[in-house]
Amino acid sequence: MINKLEIFKNAHELLDEPEVQALLDYCEKLEDDLINFKFEKENNKELIMLDMIKEVLKGCSALEKEQMEHDRFGYESPNYQDTITNLKSYIHEICRINKIWL
């Protein structure tokens, strides 16, 4: 699944448009519906949690890659590296404690 904000990575100014905001809200609702559908279909919260954790980790990795590109090309960007690293560490630790292997 592609990160919906990644679609606008070369046109951040479009994110301020009301139509784009409506589209992103709609995407978020569809993602919630998909999670609910998976739960109803599988009736297994663990599978849903694994799916959500995997998506968070993919998002973190994408942000790390984007940060490296900003650093490489000298673009100014927010410093979210520590936040991402801490989030990934937390997820891996919780998975280890609960014996969830990704």
Side-chain angles (χ1 to χ4, degrees):
M1 178 183 294
I2 188 169
N3 180 342
K4 57 189 171 276
L5 294 178
E6 196 172 303
I7 295 169
F8 299 98
K9 70 181 177 184
N10 294 327
H12 289 287
E13 66 278 358
L14 292 177
L15 291 172
D16 296 330
E17 295 294 326
E19 293 85 359
V20 174
Q21 284 300 315
L23 178 62
L24 292 174
D25 291 341
Y26 180 68
C27 287
E28 191 170 319
K29 182 189 176 306
L30 288 177
E31 289 170 353
D32 291 341
D33 291 346
L34 178 61
I35 290 170
N36 290 335
F37 175 73
K38 283 183 179 180
F39 175 71
E40 290 170 8
K41 182 180 174 192
E42 300 292 332
N43 201 14
N44 185 338
K45 288 184 182 181
E46 184 177 332
L47 290 177
I48 294 169
M49 292 300 296
L50 284 171
D51 186 50
M52 285 191 286
I53 291 170
K54 286 178 184 179
E55 289 301 318
V56 169
L57 287 173
K58 282 189 340 190
C60 289
S61 295
L63 287 173
E64 285 177 327
K65 181 180 176 186
E66 185 177 329
Q67 179 70 45
M68 286 189 303
E69 288 176 2
H70 280 273
D71 294 343
R72 179 178 173 205
F73 296 110
Y75 299 140
E76 192 172 326
S77 66
N79 185 1
Y80 37 66
Q81 187 64 41
D82 288 340
T83 303
I84 294 168
T85 302
N86 291 337
L87 179 60
K88 284 176 69 175
S89 296
Y90 170 76
I91 291 170
H92 287 298
E93 181 65 13
I94 294 300
C95 288
R96 185 190 63 75
I97 290 168
N98 293 292
K99 297 180 178 154
I100 298 173
W101 312 114
L102 301 178

